[in-house]
Amino acid sequence: DTEVTQTPKHLVMGMTNKKSLKCEQHMGHRAMYWYKQKAKKPPELMFVYSYEKLSINESVPSRFSPECPNSSLLNLHLHALQPEDSALYLCASSQARDRANTGELFFGEGSRLTVL
Amino acid sequence: GENVEQHPSTLSVQEGDSAVIKCTYSDSASNYFPWYKQELGKRPQLIIDIRSNVGEKKDQRIAVTLNKTAKHFSLHITETQPEDSAVYFCAASNDAGTASKLTFGTGTRLQVTL
């Protein structure tokens, strides 16, 4: 299984809603990531978990709250979002880096979020 | 932090021609340079990568070259086919830490015409 699975594929929410994006991988990867991608732009790193611990937070607003319940799952909790947060949210995973491992990112298909 | 510039932003070639996409990076500590392909509505996927101890790497019709002194690297696609049409992102990172912190370039939209 070389898949990263994300749910839901599409999400529409109001600015007062609370919702969550979910990501799952069964490749034994110990690093998991959330990226945000706006149309015609590159993926922009939000959070990195390494061995289930938050290792990188790229100064993301607190209305985005990541969670890594175990080594296979990654969640992104959303609360009080703004219309400008509408984007494709990509989850990715990689093996923990070492000399033999290039750190290839395996991306999910993404969750397309629209904030009204 | 790292800054990666990518050119051109769009590229149109005829089927069978070659395509070249160029990137420059700013952080001399960067030592890993992958290229991702993202087809319309799909996920980014790694197509080739290179480490800083290698100057060139080839995989069938795709090759990447790296010039550490000038801090630039390029993607070369030969004998282009319609299925090569996609957005290509270069990226750079260093080996610090256990997780990849990639900085992506701004992307190149490649259109291969018949």
Side-chain angles (χ1 to χ4, degrees):
Chain A
D1 184 0
T2 57
E3 288 266 317
V4 175
T5 305
Q6 288 187 243
T7 56
K9 287 186 170 27
H10 299 275
L11 178 62
V12 179
M13 60 186 291
M15 289 190 283
T16 57
N17 292 158
K18 282 186 183 181
K19 297 285 185 184
S20 297
L21 306 181
K22 297 185 183 299
C23 175
E24 190 168 2
Q25 57 87 16
H26 295 287
M27 294 178 277
H29 291 170
R30 302 310 295 273
M32 295 187 77
Y33 311 75
W34 280 114
Y35 279 85
K36 174 183 178 180
Q37 188 176 29
K38 293 279 223 181
K40 299 184 180 180
K41 297 289 187 184
E44 182 183 334
L45 184 63
M46 300 174 73
F47 303 103
V48 182
Y49 275 83
S50 179
Y51 292 92
E52 293 92 70
K53 287 187 173 23
L54 184 64
S55 61
I56 297 174
N57 177 341
E58 292 287 274
S59 303
V60 179
S62 59
R63 57 186 185 270
F64 295 92
S65 175
E67 179 195 18
C68 191
N70 59 53
S71 60
S72 300
L73 295 174
L74 185 67
N75 298 322
L76 186 63
H77 302 297
L78 315 170
H79 174 53
L81 295 193
Q82 304 295 311
E84 58 264 30
D85 296 321
S86 298
L88 181 69
Y89 288 84
L90 291 163
C91 173
S93 70
S94 71
Q95 293 182 19
R97 296 279 296 278
D98 59 33
R99 286 181 182 278
N101 172 29
T102 62
E104 175 182 356
L105 292 179
F106 291 79
F107 284 93
E109 294 281 7
S111 293
R112 188 162 299 282
L113 173 67
T114 302
V115 182
L116 301 176
Chain B
E2 176 64 278
N3 181 47
V4 178
E5 294 190 358
Q6 184 172 346
H7 300 281
S9 56
T10 59
L11 180 59
S12 182
V13 300
Q14 284 200 319
E15 184 180 6
D17 288 350
S18 295
V20 180
I21 302 170
K22 298 182 180 183
C23 290
T24 59
Y25 62 98
S26 61
D27 187 353
S28 57
S30 289
N31 57 9
Y32 173 60
F33 307 92
W35 287 86
Y36 283 81
K37 174 184 179 182
Q38 188 174 24
E39 295 178 37
L40 190 63
K42 301 282 190 180
R43 72 188 82 191
Q45 290 188 291
L46 180 74
I47 54 170
I48 196 167
D49 56 15
I50 192 167
R51 284 188 173 275
S52 59
N53 58 351
V54 175
E56 183 173 358
K57 185 175 177 182
K58 192 172 181 181
D59 182 4
Q60 299 183 335
R61 297 186 298 108
I62 294 173
V64 57
T65 58
L66 172 65
N67 182 327
K68 277 173 30 181
T69 305
K71 287 195 242 168
H72 67 70
F73 56 112
S74 301
L75 178 72
H76 304 253
I77 306 174
T78 58
E79 300 172 25
T80 53
Q81 300 168 2
E83 52 265 38
D84 295 328
S85 296
V87 178
Y88 291 81
F89 294 103
C90 62
S93 78
N94 62 46
D95 267 336
T98 57
S100 296
K101 185 177 176 179
L102 289 178
T103 299
F104 284 91
T106 48
T108 296
R109 183 171 300 277
L110 174 64
Q111 181 72 44
V112 179
T113 57
L114 297 172

